[in-house]
Amino acid sequence: MESNSNQAKHAWRILILLFLANLLNFFDRTIPAIIIEPIRHEWNLSDLQLGIVGSAFTVIYAIAGLPLGRLADSWSRKKIIGWGLAIWSAFTALNGYAWNYLSFVSVRMGVGIGEASYAPAANSLIGDLFPSHKRARAVGIFMLGLPLGLVLAFFTVGAMVKAFGTWRAPFFIAALPGILLSLFFFFIREPERGAAESIQVSKVAPAQPIQKVLRIRTMWWIILSGLTFNFAAYAVNSFLVSLLQRYYHFTLVKAAITTGFIVGITGLIGLTLGGWIADKIHQRSERGRLLFGAFNLFVSGILILLALLQSEELVLFFSLLLGLGWLLSYNYYTCVYPAIQDVIEPRLRATAMAIYFAAMYLLGGAAGPAVVGWLSDYLTRSAMLRSGSLEMTEQFKAIGLHDSLYLIPVTVLLTSLFVFLASRSFAKDASEMKRSLEGKA
């Protein structure tokens, strides 16, 4: 029998691979947000059309995630991840060949199908590799792929565009590491379902899996929190570079690097420190981890609102306030993702994550860029009409985009409320999950 030391090393090796794949996941999906202004000018697009680029990706990501999540509860998770990574990397390369707006959106949907295979299978693996009291740290490290992927994208994509003289170059460059990394997943040793639980887990697949997940009250609050949080996150990631270019008159490279600090570097601190604190709090109080997340999100919403209230001359204060708010918001992941593992039995975890991702991406992530883009166009026209001008200038577009982003602090504050409500039912649902496992043992 393998020693605990060897098991721990094996778990960490797989976690590192999962982290690297997650990094590429967010790098690839972030590229369009950085080249948004060159695309807008080349194809003469509105902000709504720009928002639809992200929304189309997210809709297909959410829809494809449901069957792929169910598949991850019954088939080899390492193969699902390996093939998914190879597919989304290949479609990323194809994005560089897009000849018009429609072809660009269509290929992004292909990227969405490949990426949809990843998160449910990866989170299911983490649940079987790490016991409950270590999961927040494991999830925190896994989710470091999000800010690091953003940092690498925001710090390098603008430079790639400048060096090669085209917005297409980053898509070709990004595809190669994903295809190479996908090969490693086919050779890992996959843990048994429930391997990290203290109770022996039944090998029989549960009947009515979706109904069982949706009978858990905590999951409903978590699903609602995912919807509002992803609305905010995808709207910010889609339009922050553009806001810095239009409203604060940054160059593409400077806007991308500044965004990398605001939404990327902050995540390295938030997820690393937040995961450690969340695990410590969880050892003292069962619902403490979720309360910690709710408090951080409340403060985050206030700071983001204060950032948007800064005038265009105070870009430094805007960046500092928004960055600090975004740092605190990353504690959403280290508190909510482990909570899902604690209330869902092992053979349903990929299904639960797929349902959660379907809601948070279909109703949140997809809506965020489209709604903000639509509102930006509306407020742009309103600003133009108020001025009495008949010309749609870049100044009006800057005002419209800035004012539309006031939706962000509202949705972050709603997320705080939903996480708090999840904390109220968490202890009961976690106990029922343990009793359910004992009854099946």
Side-chain angles (χ1 to χ4, degrees), residues 81-366:
I81 292 172
W83 283 114
L85 178 51
I87 289 168
W88 93 58
S89 298
F91 272 101
T92 296
L94 287 175
N95 249 142
Y97 292 105
W99 59 92
N100 59 21
Y101 175 71
L102 184 59
S103 66
F104 188 89
V105 172
S106 300
V107 175
R108 290 309 295 168
M109 294 171 74
V111 177
I113 293 172
E115 292 196 5
S117 66
Y118 184 62
N123 278 278
S124 176
L125 277 176
I126 291 171
D128 291 337
L129 290 168
F130 296 91
S132 177
H133 66 281
K134 293 183 179 179
R135 279 182 193 143
R137 274 170 287 182
V139 168
I141 290 168
F142 168 69
M143 288 306 299
L144 278 175
L146 192 167
L148 270 175
L150 297 181
V151 167
L152 284 176
F154 286 120
F155 281 20
T156 63
V157 169
M160 291 179 200
V161 172
K162 186 176 180 181
F164 290 93
T166 174
W167 56 261
R168 301 173 187 273
F171 292 106
F172 301 130
I173 296 169
L176 184 58
I179 292 171
L180 292 176
L181 182 62
S182 69
L183 301 176
F184 286 87
F185 281 98
F186 293 102
F187 298 99
I188 66 172
R189 189 171 72 258
E190 190 170 331
E192 291 186 8
R193 313 277 173 170
E197 304 299 330
S198 57
I199 302 166
Q200 184 67 35
V201 176
S202 170
K203 297 184 183 298
V204 179
Q208 297 182 315
I210 294 176
Q211 292 90 325
K212 283 193 173 182
V213 169
L214 294 179
R215 280 200 290 267
I216 300 168
R217 180 177 294 183
T218 303
M219 275 302 301
W220 279 99
W221 293 123
I222 287 176
I223 287 168
L224 286 172
S225 76
L227 189 159
T228 51
F229 188 73
N230 243 28
F231 183 103
Y234 270 66
V236 167
N237 289 343
S238 294
F239 286 108
L240 185 53
V241 171
S242 189
L243 176 73
L244 290 169
Q245 288 181 269
R246 296 187 207 176
Y247 197 75
Y248 296 105
H249 313 295
F250 283 18
T251 64
L252 171 59
V253 174
K254 186 179 178 182
I257 291 174
T258 303
T259 301
F261 276 103
I262 292 172
V263 303
I265 295 293
T266 56
L268 304 181
I269 302 168
L271 289 170
T272 305
L273 185 60
W276 180 80
I277 294 173
D279 272 343
K280 291 293 183 185
I281 293 174
H282 183 64
Q283 290 171 22
R284 296 185 179 184
S285 168
E286 220 174 358
R287 61 194 291 251
R289 189 161 55 194
L290 286 172
L291 288 173
F292 174 67
F295 174 76
N296 276 269
L297 286 160
F298 177 77
V299 178
S300 171
I302 300 299
L303 289 171
I304 293 169
L305 176 61
L306 291 174
L308 290 169
L309 290 171
Q310 304 302 308
S311 65
E312 72 179 274
E313 293 82 20
L314 298 175
V315 64
L316 178 60
F317 288 105
F318 166 82
S319 301
L320 289 173
L321 288 166
L322 184 57
L324 183 56
W326 219 245
L327 185 154
L328 294 176
S329 77
Y330 272 104
N331 284 307
Y332 174 81
Y333 299 107
T334 58
C335 296
V336 168
Y337 282 28
I340 295 174
Q341 308 276 6
D342 290 342
V343 299
I344 301 292
E345 62 179 279
R347 292 197 67 88
L348 285 176
R349 283 174 182 161
T351 298
M353 292 303 295
I355 294 170
Y356 167 66
F357 281 127
M360 76 186 291
Y361 284 104
L362 192 60
L363 301 176

Side-chain angles (χ1 to χ4, degrees), residues 19 61 64 90 137 224 305 367 410 412 426:
F19 153 75
Y61 180 98
R137 274 170 287 182
L224 286 172
L305 176 61
V410 173
V412 171
F426 173 79

